[in-house]
Amino acid sequence: MSEKELINDEKIKLEDVKPDKTLRILTGDRPTGKMHIGHYFGSLKSRVALQDKFQTFIEVADVQALTDNFNNPDKVKKSVNQIVMDELAVGLDPNKVTFFIQSLIPEIAELTVFYSNLVTIARLERNPTVKTEIAQKKDLFGESVTYGFLGYPVSQAADITCFDATYVPVGEDQLPLIEQCREIVRKFNSIYGDTLREPVAVMSSNMRIKGLDGNVKMGKSLGNALYLSDDLDTIKQKVMSAVTDPSRIRKDDKGNPDICMVYYYHNLFTDKEECKNICEECKAGKRGCVACKKQLIESINKVLEPIRDKRKHYEENPKEVMDILMAGTDKARVIAKETMEKVKKSMKLDY
Ligand code: TRP
């Protein structure tokens, strides 16, 4: 496939992107809590790989976080530093990545207003991601969703296009948002003339990590998250309570690793050869669950220890994190201003 064809696609796989330092990628996170290993396998690892291939911009989407946390500004504020520390700890390099804070780029908000004319309420209500989220947030929204939440895809389209991003690395759940962004771009360009770039979603590993409790999703609200910043004792306590094959009562009972969360986690953290071993021993009733859990604790700690250590440096030097964010925001704002100039010119708002 030629590069042109690739770029015309609406989504491509991470393995298929051709490195190009003249192109920009943009992705973001809502600051609503610390990151867990679901984020690590689902997106952070691929961001680390991408930072050497493209100009990487990562937005701390505090304005978007407020769309469903407007009643909890403390949580959002506290989480800004936390998520950037997590990102730095896993190996995202502030010399390669531009980290910036959404609310400090007013051009994004301005662009959101312009885009809001190009989207219908019905189209927003049909967005599958938004639809699912509204259904999950009945407690917050009651019978009628806010204008801000319903419209967050418009604001996210502004996040992306404000920085002229070519690629947007995201998980599957975000695809409807990228699709909606592309529609807005096409509409804008068809009315006001060719101005904006249509971004392409880059599918990251697409791995959804189950909780140690067997829940198909890991999340803070589900109480089953293993955080990147968890210390050894916390890891121990979480792994020891993990769900194993319930029909295994005695150590020499034959086990079924396919329904065991400890085995599932070994596959994430323990090397392949050893996993085969574990699987066979379990099936043959030759390994006890407690020993198996202890081995898993070690494997997890081997991965998380260097992340924790690196994070500790930033926890002790919060100013360093803020400096990274402020320098990144300055750099991002220059690009946002350039985009706004072009946009206003196209819209005949260039007084
Ligand atoms: N909606 C994304 C999420 O919930 C976060 C986000 C905000 C984002 N702005 C973005 C992702 C721009 C990609 C591009 O995870």
Side-chain angles (χ1 to χ4, degrees), residues 202-322:
V202 177
M203 302 300 297
S204 42
S205 74
N206 224 353
M207 233 164 138
R208 174 158 281 176
I209 306 299
K210 293 182 195 165
L212 278 159
D213 59 353
N215 196 308
V216 290
K217 227 188 130 182
M218 173 176 289
K220 189 170 53 174
S221 52
L222 299 164
N224 63 358
L226 188 58
Y227 292 98
L228 290 172
S229 49
D230 279 348
D231 61 17
L232 183 55
D233 278 343
T234 311
I235 298 171
K236 272 185 193 159
Q237 174 233 317
K238 288 180 180 173
V239 172
M240 290 320 274
S241 65
V243 175
T244 54
D245 176 356
S247 63
R248 261 194 110 188
I249 319 248
R250 265 164 285 123
K251 206 164 121 178
D252 50 3
D253 286 342
K254 292 186 166 64
N256 177 4
D258 293 340
I259 57 169
C260 173
M261 293 319 294
V262 176
Y263 181 62
Y264 173 87
Y265 269 69
H266 269 303
N267 278 307
L268 297 171
F269 288 98
T270 306
D271 70 60
K272 273 210 172 70
E273 273 307 302
E274 182 54 16
C275 282
K276 256 192 223 156
N277 215 6
I278 293 169
C279 182
E280 271 153 33
E281 283 182 12
C282 175
K283 279 185 180 158
K286 286 190 185 147
R287 104 178 342 245
C289 291
V290 173
C292 194
K293 285 177 173 176
K294 286 196 171 143
Q295 186 185 0
L296 176 62
I297 291 165
E298 263 178 49
S299 298
I300 293 178
N301 198 48
K302 224 190 230 162
V303 175
L304 294 194
E305 195 173 32
I307 295 176
R308 213 161 49 220
D309 287 349
K310 199 152 184 210
R311 199 179 194 284
K312 205 162 174 191
H313 165 82
Y314 292 108
E315 285 163 6
E316 287 163 359
N317 298 283
K319 185 169 179 299
E320 216 175 293
V321 180
M322 259 306 145

Side-chain angles (χ1 to χ4, degrees), residues 26-30 47 59 61 64 102 133 152 155-156 159-160 168-170 173-174 177-178:
L26 182 293
T27 188
D29 304 288
R30 294 181 192 174
R47 289 181 190 178
E59 176 182 281
Q64 187 177 120
Q102 184 184 8
E133 283 176 291
Y152 95 74
S155 158
Q156 186 158 322
D159 293 343
I160 297 165
V168 188
V170 284
D173 64 311
Q174 294 287 305
L177 291 156
I178 311 304

